[in-house]
Structures are given as C-alpha cells and as structure tokens.
Amino acid sequence: MLTYRAAVAADANDVMAFWAIAAEDSHRPPDSPEAVLRLIARDPEALILAVDDDTVVGSIIVGWDGWRCHLYRLAVAPTHRRRGIGRELVARAEARFAAYGGTRADAMVLDDNAQAHGVWSTAGYAPQPEWSRWVKPLSNT
C-alpha cells in the first residue's frame, strides 16, 4: 500500500539506498546518512517520502528558509514511475509552502536530466534563463 509521510531518523539508510537507484547523483558531493539525519533533526517535515509497504519509492526535500521555497531531490523508483507519485510529492511540498505563506518555489533540476524536465514542466515549473546557480563545496573539516 502506497503512503506518504515525513522521513524519520530510522529512514536514513533506506533513503540513501533509494537515492542510489532512483536519483541522479553524479553532479554533487556524496550524500550520507548523517546528512539525512541532520536534515530531519533541523526540520522534521522537510523530507517527504512515498513508501510502498516498507520500501521507499519516492522522495522530495521541501526547503523553506523563511523567505523562499526550494525543492530538492525529487526522485521516484524506476519500478514506480508514471503512477503520479512525483506529482503527488510536488503537490504535498507546495501545500507545505502555502501553509507558510510562500509565494514562489524553485526546483533544483539538472540541465541534462530531460526526463525530469517533463515532470517539472507538467507541474508548472519552467527554467529561468536569467539565473544561474553558483556552487561552492564546503569542507566538513
């Protein structure tokens, strides 16, 4: 049975295993269970999961900094795609933003992830060509 819920600390390893098969991850520093745990500790409702029985099959990170709404790590298991799970995850994220009074959301989407472009376009998102993303990896040492 498919359910949607906020991630809890016990999900950290399952989320990592899920992202290894369902999320494009070659363009960023490696994730870790510890990073997932920090996210959950900081904002217990930021990571929304789709769970089929006991298996994570979808995720989205819902970031709210008090000013802007940000979406990250939308992913659906290859075995569960084209069932509306991604659409439902985005809708749940947007409902959270609406509750906060957010007025605009942005989504982190890789330029070469054409499959994701269709999902985001269907949800009403579009690239904003006047912006680029500037990134600096931070050391944890």
Side-chain angles (χ1 to χ4, degrees), residues 15-32 35-36 39 47 59-61 71-76 81 107-113 116 120 133-138 140:
V15 168
M16 293 302 304
F18 166 70
W19 283 344
I21 62 162
E24 163 56 58
D25 200 19
S26 64
H27 292 84
R28 64 179 148 263
D31 290 317
S32 68
V36 173
L39 172 67
L47 176 53
S59 71
I60 193 166
I61 295 175
L71 298 171
Y72 313 89
R73 300 311 296 261
L74 174 63
V76 176
R81 291 182 181 154
M108 300 295 294
V109 184
L110 292 170
D111 288 339
D112 62 355
N113 189 343
W120 287 107
R133 183 171 178 236
W134 296 31
V135 177
K136 176 184 176 185
L138 300 176
N140 287 332

Side-chain angles (χ1 to χ4, degrees), residues 5-12 15 36-37 40 44 47 49:
R5 62 173 175 80
V8 296
D11 293 319
V15 168
V36 173
L37 290 171
I40 293 168
L47 176 53
L49 301 177

Side-chain angles (χ1 to χ4, degrees), residues 2 10 14-15 20 24 31-32 43 45 56-57 69 81 86 88-89 93 106 110 114-115 118 124 129 138:
L2 187 65
D14 291 340
V15 168
E24 163 56 58
D31 290 317
S32 68
D43 182 348
E45 297 193 21
V56 176
V57 297
C69 309
R81 291 182 181 154
E88 180 64 22
L89 288 165
D106 62 56
L110 292 170
Q115 184 176 13
L138 300 176

